[in-house]
Amino acid sequence: MPSLKALKTRIASVKNTRKITKAMQMVAAAKLRRAQEAAEAARPYAERMTAVMSSLATGIGQTESAPKLLAGNGKNQVHLLVVMTSERGLCGGFNSTIVRLARVKAAELLAAGKTVKILTVGKKGREQLRRDYSAHFVGHVDMGDVKRVGYANAQGIAREVLAAFEAGECDVVTIFYNRFQSVISQIPTALQVIPAKFEGGAANALYDYEPSEEAILADLLPRGVATQIFTALLENGASEQGARMSAMDNATRNAGDMINKLTIQYNRSRQAAITKELIEIISGAEAL
């Protein structure tokens, strides 16, 4: 049984830990509000841009004049996986769910005889993937110095991805991130950005385009890749803060429960020590 001093020290240590987790929870809650507003504000723009490109792509179809970013380069051998995670931990299963989805995809591709390349965005994902897939790493984007995600950050990643595609270093590009749904719910998402894939068909409205649909798409598709990456970064930012807030709340509650248990144990040990001393005093007095 631990001594009274050891129990008292441990109680003080857990109380200090609870103060830290409570402070981190409050910081995450403050950051979450801004991150959630940014993610929700970007969604209508991204959805509308996707709808416009989907409408244009429907008109072009798989013609020979279709841009390569839409039709692809005719190959499906080399896959580039862009795994987006956080730079910091203590956010529950936020990073693990993204990495798990990327692992499943990589395993499926390798089993099918495909070549897999991995570009990591954020330190935590790279750390988790290093053991099994370090041989497939082709690059890393460090976001540690970024205080607030901007479109310029997404443009930098998009330029790197587009350059790899245009150089023939990859045939298909898929990004992995968490889509924010609520504080306790983030949805792991895999989104193919090259060649562009559009869910469903757009409404077939009659429009005359100037210049041609091909020319407009050739200009919009690179921006669309950057927009999708930017949206993913914003969704990840909100998901990370939501997961951290939830994790720190659970840690604070667990610390409180542990303090209560240790306090009860301390009081019982102290009572037992006092009772033992009283018995020794009474026994000594009776012996006299």
Side-chain angles (χ1 to χ4, degrees):
M1 179 180 291
S3 64
L4 291 176
K5 184 178 180 181
L7 287 171
K8 196 171 184 179
T9 302
R10 191 175 179 192
I11 290 171
S13 176
V14 176
K15 284 183 177 179
N16 291 334
T17 302
R18 184 173 62 175
K19 290 179 182 178
I20 295 172
T21 56
K22 184 65 176 178
M24 291 184 67
Q25 178 191 352
M26 295 174 67
V27 171
K31 290 183 177 180
L32 171 62
R33 184 168 57 184
R34 295 194 299 268
Q36 183 177 355
E37 289 173 355
E40 291 176 347
R43 285 176 186 173
Y45 174 78
E47 290 170 357
R48 185 58 184 164
M49 189 170 188
T50 301
V52 171
M53 291 192 295
S54 177
S55 177
L56 289 166
T58 302
I60 293 176
Q62 295 295 325
T63 61
E64 293 181 359
S65 60
K68 288 177 64 177
L69 289 176
L70 175 63
N73 57 10
K75 303 176 184 177
N76 187 30
Q77 179 60 31
V78 183
H79 289 251
L80 176 62
L81 310 183
V82 183
V83 184
M84 301 182 179
T85 55
S86 67
E87 291 287 339
R88 299 171 181 83
L90 297 178
C91 48
F94 167 77
N95 294 307
S96 299
T97 54
I98 299 173
V99 172
R100 189 180 303 117
L101 184 62
R103 283 178 182 273
V104 170
K105 182 66 173 179
E108 289 177 356
L109 292 171
L110 291 173
K114 307 295 184 181
T115 301
V116 173
K117 296 182 178 181
I118 298 176
L119 171 66
T120 53
V121 180
K123 182 175 67 176
K124 291 301 176 181
R126 189 173 184 82
E127 289 176 352
Q128 293 189 33
L129 289 168
R130 181 182 290 122
R131 185 177 63 180
D132 297 326
Y133 294 99
S134 60
H136 301 274
F137 287 170
V138 294
H140 175 68
V141 179
D142 188 358
M143 303 285 286
D145 296 332
V146 178
K147 300 300 180 184
R148 191 169 185 177
V149 174
Y151 189 69
N153 303 115
Q155 281 182 314
I157 300 172
R159 280 194 294 267
E160 188 171 346
V161 168
L162 290 169
F165 178 73
E166 291 170 2
E169 297 173 1
C170 62
D171 305 322
V172 180
V173 179
T174 306
I175 59 176
F176 296 84
Y177 64 97
N178 262 334
R179 180 177 174 84
F180 179 81
Q181 188 171 32
S182 67
V183 175
I184 59 173
S185 177
Q186 299 86 35
I187 304 173
T189 304
L191 177 64
Q192 180 178 311
V193 294
I194 301 176
K197 290 183 67 175
F198 303 106
E199 297 295 333
N204 291 325
L206 296 177
Y207 294 105
D208 289 329
Y209 293 99
E210 181 65 33
S212 64
E213 288 98 328
E214 292 86 349
I216 296 174
L217 266 180
D219 183 64
L220 279 184
L221 285 170
R223 299 188 188 188
V225 172
T227 300
Q228 288 172 320
I229 291 175
F230 180 51
T231 302
L233 290 174
L234 292 177
E235 294 284 349
N236 249 11
S239 298
E240 178 188 352
Q241 298 305 330
R244 179 170 288 113
M245 178 181 169
S246 179
M248 291 301 100
D249 179 55
N250 291 334
T252 302
R253 293 174 185 272
N254 291 338
D257 293 341
M258 184 175 291
I259 289 170
N260 292 337
K261 291 179 181 178
L262 290 173
T263 302
I264 292 173
Q265 187 178 355
Y266 174 81
N267 290 336
R268 286 177 177 172
S269 298
R270 186 167 176 269
Q271 184 179 10
I274 293 172
T275 303
K276 182 180 179 182
E277 290 179 3
L278 288 174
I279 292 173
E280 290 176 351
I281 292 172
I282 292 171
S283 300
E286 289 180 350
L288 295 174

